Amino acid sequence: VEDGRREGLDENQTTTKKQQQETLNKKMAKIRAVLFDIEGTTTSISFVQDVLFPYARNALSSFLLSTWDLSQTQDDISLLRNNTVEDIANGLEIPAIAAADESQDSIIQSIVKNVHWQMDRDRKATALKQLQGHMWEIGYKGGELKGPVYEDVVPAFEKIKEKGTPIYIYSSGSIHAQKLLFGFSTKGDLLPFFSGHFDTTIGLKVVSQSYLDISAQLSVPTENILFVTDSIKETEAATAVGVNVLVAVREGNAALPEDHSFKTITSFDQIFLQDFVFSA
């Protein structure tokens, strides 16, 4: 009889534990896709501000001269010129790009003024980011540049992939620039971790519609997406449409508003301490 009672108690306890776990799982957000920002999240802001940007600024004139006859460079110039025409039409006092029928020297000088003006204002324009990416490619492939990532990044990527959850990068830098940073990183080629990349061609990161478009493209509801970023404005835009967000707090990042109510992490290890269930 006592054995029977024990078996009954064990069964009841097992059933209770299962019910408790099921209740807990219902409360936890089911994550089917993870988006990572780069600057201030996987990689220090200082690398972008103190290494990549100065490299692009200093290399601009020589890059344009040495690659002038390449269709890629001419496409970059055309896109930059077209975007600038639109900016001027919208009332922005941005330096104009010389017309295509003007001298090479005049065009290059106007591009330098235009690009420096945009970089001084940290603009996220697609044409600017595309041109920068092509300049950085030379630096990465020549060994002058290596993309640094924090020590906690690769272990987190490995853990997420083990759970079958796809990882994506969403950055203001062009997709080309993203692939260079992670393909030539200080931890080796990290591109196999990613299922895809997003940049400003999907929309600005501070605009909620961008996250709805990503959700539609991935066929994953926003409530099943996790976005890790260091930006409060991006966090506000993403959470407004139901995306789960963790704000990365790294050394050198801008201070967060004291009255914010978002979840923060100081290490990617803490991603797995949240109320998330990762799945494919």
Side-chain angles (χ1 to χ4, degrees):
V1 177
E2 288 182 3
D3 289 343
R5 286 177 180 174
R6 285 199 192 95
E7 288 177 6
L9 286 171
D10 289 343
E11 288 178 4
N12 289 337
Q13 288 174 347
T14 301
T15 302
T16 301
K17 286 180 180 178
K18 286 182 179 179
Q19 291 173 338
Q20 289 174 340
Q21 187 61 49
E22 288 173 1
T23 301
L24 181 62
N25 287 342
K26 287 178 181 178
K27 292 180 180 179
M28 299 176 80
K30 292 178 174 59
I31 303 301
R32 292 172 47 205
V34 184
L35 294 174
F36 283 99
D37 169 47
I38 296 177
E39 185 179 353
T41 303
T42 65
T43 300
S44 67
I45 286 179
S46 63
F47 173 68
V48 179
Q49 298 292 338
D50 301 337
V51 178
L52 287 185
F53 285 173
Y55 180 93
R57 181 184 289 267
N58 296 333
L60 181 54
S61 293
S62 60
F63 172 82
L64 292 171
L65 278 170
S66 63
T67 64
W68 185 261
D69 294 328
L70 298 180
S71 58
Q72 175 180 270
T73 297
Q74 290 304 314
D75 288 344
D76 287 346
I77 293 171
S78 294
L79 182 59
L80 194 66
R81 183 183 288 115
N82 292 338
N83 281 14
T84 298
V85 168
E86 290 179 10
D87 285 336
I88 292 173
N90 290 328
L92 192 65
E93 296 181 359
I94 181 174
I97 303 292
D101 58 359
E102 294 192 34
S103 69
Q104 180 190 43
D105 186 56
S106 295
I107 296 173
I108 289 177
Q109 285 186 33
S110 68
I111 291 171
V112 170
K113 288 181 181 178
N114 177 284
V115 169
H116 285 185
W117 186 92
Q118 294 199 63
M119 290 184 68
D120 288 342
R121 289 154 181 79
D122 194 23
R123 297 194 78 205
K124 310 297 184 185
T126 299
L128 172 65
K129 296 302 179 183
Q130 180 172 297
L131 177 60
Q132 288 174 330
H134 290 145
M135 285 189 282
W136 291 329
E137 180 176 4
I138 294 175
Y140 280 112
K141 290 185 175 179
E144 294 177 75
L145 298 173
K146 283 281 187 183
V149 295
Y150 290 111
E151 290 296 324
D152 53 46
V153 171
V154 173
F157 284 175
E158 291 174 339
K159 198 167 184 177
I160 293 170
K161 291 296 283 186
E162 284 173 4
K163 296 175 183 295
T165 309
I167 299 172
Y168 301 86
I169 295 296
Y170 183 25
S171 171
S172 297
S174 68
I175 290 174
H176 180 58
Q178 296 173 24
K179 289 182 176 180
L180 288 170
L181 189 152
F182 289 110
F184 294 90
S185 89
T186 51
K187 299 296 182 182
D189 182 4
L190 304 183
L191 293 179
F193 281 111
F194 308 128
S195 297
H197 299 256
F198 297 98
D199 60 12
T200 55
T201 57
I202 195 79
L204 295 175
K205 294 159 71 184
V206 294
V207 176
S208 294
Q209 184 61 45
S210 303
Y211 300 92
L212 293 175
D213 291 343
I214 289 174
S215 170
Q217 191 164 317
L218 299 182
S219 298
V220 176
T222 55
E223 60 264 30
N224 299 129
I225 296 174
L226 170 63
F227 180 40
V228 185
T229 179
D230 69 309
S231 168
I232 283 292
K233 288 185 177 180
E234 293 170 11
T235 300
E236 291 171 343
T239 54
V241 290
V243 174
N244 301 280
V245 180
L246 291 176
V247 182
V249 178
R250 301 285 199 181
E251 184 178 353
N253 286 7
L256 301 176
E258 292 183 3
D259 59 347
H260 83 86
S261 58
F262 301 111
K263 292 182 179 179
T264 62
I265 56 172
T266 56
S267 168
F268 278 10
D269 301 339
Q270 296 167 359
I271 291 173
F272 309 100
L273 303 179
Q274 311 302 317
D275 295 331
F276 301 136
V277 175
F278 293 87
S279 63

